[in-house]
Amino acid sequence: MRDVAIVAFAQSDHLRRTDELSEVEMLMPVLHQVLDATGLRTSDIGFTCSGSSDYLAGRAFSFTMALDGVGAHPPISESHVEMDGAWALYEAWVKIQTGEADTALVYGYGKSSPGQVRDVLTRQLDPYYTAPLWPDSVALAALQAQALIDAGDTDETALAAIAARSREAAADNPHAQLSGTVPAGDYLVQPLRTGDCPPIGDGAAAVILAAGDTARALCARPAWIRGIDHRIEAHGLGVRELTDSPSTRLAAERAGAFERPVDTAELHAPFTSQEVVLRKALGLDDSVRVNPSGGALAANPLMAAGLIRLGEAAARIHRGESDRALAHATSGPCLQQNLVAVLEGESTHA
């Protein structure tokens, strides 16, 4: 296996609306920033991979517009996933492992503001039994939260504490959409209140991956990807145990997360109740700093929020604030698909 690291990370300011910007205009400053951090030009990148969603954009093959911001001439080696950018990072990591590239530019972006994102996400559901009932993303998360409460795994007071801790942590994150004291608010779907749910907004993120000595030349302290894996739960909610996430646990095991303790965990938990599920699946105790960036409760740009978890974990390693970090990304209702990566600084390089 080749040693591959995240050597640079950049993200936009995450805003409730960016009506004055197209997806390309929102993305371009982020791409310039991440390239400037390494001194690379587009022509120096061996592989480019993006994550976005045509459902959010409202048109087919919308990702081709973003290539205007990347610069597709002279011709580049490029791919796209109709998923969060975390899965684009996984594809780029595989590409570098094959030896076909030494560097990769990965980005994800999404604008949720133009439409009703709760309705848009119903398109992810089983089309025969679930989607015709039109349960939206918050209703399904509330179903999961109530299952946790009924099982004795949490209560509404504990969920409110997760929201408060996350948004207080986001006070140090200049890109966060929400930070500081955020009222619990009224119930959206009981038992979830407004404060238990992620903000709706627009945003983008990008990272650069590099292999071996190239990574060391581009970054003073690379965040080495020591393991990465992703797994999926059954599509039908009725055959899943919503209070647990065996796919997260398996992905973490395959990524080597349980071999040694981590000091930081960036978890893609858009709802407070989902942090409860992920902590249990990953065996995280209070000694681990969970979502010091504020997590998805502070900013949840669809198709970029998972990539941001990887980027935030890597950035803490770059700054020397973490030695071994876990990053998690999810997609689909009630933590259906889960990706886990373990990142380490050079001081713990085996």
Side-chain angles (χ1 to χ4, degrees):
M1 297 283 286
R2 304 184 76 191
D3 285 342
V4 178
I6 296 174
V7 297
F9 166 58
Q11 61 182 311
S12 65
D13 292 338
H14 305 296
L15 305 172
R16 176 61 184 89
R17 305 194 69 89
T18 54
D19 294 340
E20 73 283 4
L21 300 176
S22 68
E23 284 93 338
V24 179
E25 291 168 326
M26 181 178 67
L27 178 63
M28 282 187 68
V30 178
L31 297 177
H32 289 310
Q33 184 180 345
V34 78
L35 287 167
D36 289 345
T38 59
L40 295 174
R41 299 169 296 177
T42 304
S43 57
D44 299 321
I45 299 296
F47 181 62
T48 300
C49 196
S50 61
S52 66
S53 172
D54 285 351
Y55 283 113
L56 284 180
R59 55 186 174 272
F61 299 102
S62 61
F63 74 92
T64 58
M65 297 178 59
L67 292 176
D68 293 340
V70 176
H73 186 82
I76 63 175
S77 174
E78 183 271 337
S79 185
H80 171 77
V81 296
E82 186 75 5
M83 286 283 284
D84 188 289
W87 276 263
L89 183 145
Y90 185 89
E91 180 176 340
W93 177 83
V94 171
K95 187 79 168 182
I96 293 176
Q97 290 297 331
T98 67
E100 295 184 29
D102 289 326
T103 56
L105 170 64
V106 179
Y107 59 92
Y109 62 94
K111 292 188 67 170
S112 299
S113 59
Q116 298 296 319
V117 68
R118 289 171 63 176
D119 292 337
V120 169
L121 292 177
T122 62
R123 304 308 194 277
Q124 296 177 318
L125 302 175
D126 156 55
Y128 300 105
Y129 297 101
T130 309
L133 301 175
W134 281 90
D136 64 37
S137 55
V138 178
L140 292 172
L143 185 70
Q144 186 174 39
Q146 189 61 55
L148 287 163
I149 292 172
D150 292 345
D153 289 347
T154 192
D155 55 36
E156 291 189 36
T157 301
L159 296 180
I162 291 172
R165 188 206 76 237
S166 298
R167 284 160 180 156
E168 286 171 7
D172 296 325
N173 182 353
H175 304 289
Q177 185 176 337
L178 295 179
S179 63
T181 302
V182 177
D186 297 328
Y187 287 116
L188 279 183
V189 181
Q190 197 167 354
L192 295 180
R193 297 178 180 272
T194 304
D196 294 307
C197 303
I200 296 171
D202 305 340
V207 305
I208 290 179
L209 302 181
D213 290 341
T214 301
R216 295 183 180 92
L218 294 173
C219 180
R221 193 171 193 247
W224 298 101
I225 302 173
R226 295 303 183 205
I228 186 169
D229 194 76
H230 61 107
R231 301 286 158 163
I232 186 170
E233 308 281 355
H235 202 182
L237 293 169
V239 298
R240 291 167 54 188
E241 172 51 69
L242 296 182
T243 64
D244 195 12
S245 182
S247 63
T248 297
R249 186 177 297 108
L250 180 58
E253 179 184 339
R254 297 297 177 88
F258 303 133
E259 294 175 2
R260 291 190 304 281
V262 298
D263 53 45
T264 304
E266 280 284 343
L267 306 181
H268 188 185
F271 299 91
T272 53
S273 50
Q274 293 179 350
E275 182 176 311
V276 176
V277 176
L278 292 172
R279 275 180 174 269
K280 180 170 69 172
L282 295 166
L284 301 177
D285 58 29
D286 292 339
S287 68
V288 180
R289 292 169 293 183
V290 174
N291 288 342
S293 68
L297 288 167
N300 188 45
L302 291 184
M303 304 300 129
L307 181 62
I308 290 170
R309 306 280 69 76
L310 286 145
E312 289 282 7
R316 295 188 73 83
I317 289 174
H318 295 161
R319 297 192 298 264
E321 298 169 7
S322 171
D323 288 324
R324 180 173 163 89
L326 180 149
H328 162 269
T330 192
S331 183
C334 301
L335 301 171
Q336 183 190 9
Q337 302 180 57
N338 295 283
L339 179 148
V340 175
V342 175
L343 308 177
E344 289 185 353
E346 193 75 61
S347 62
T348 55
H349 176 45

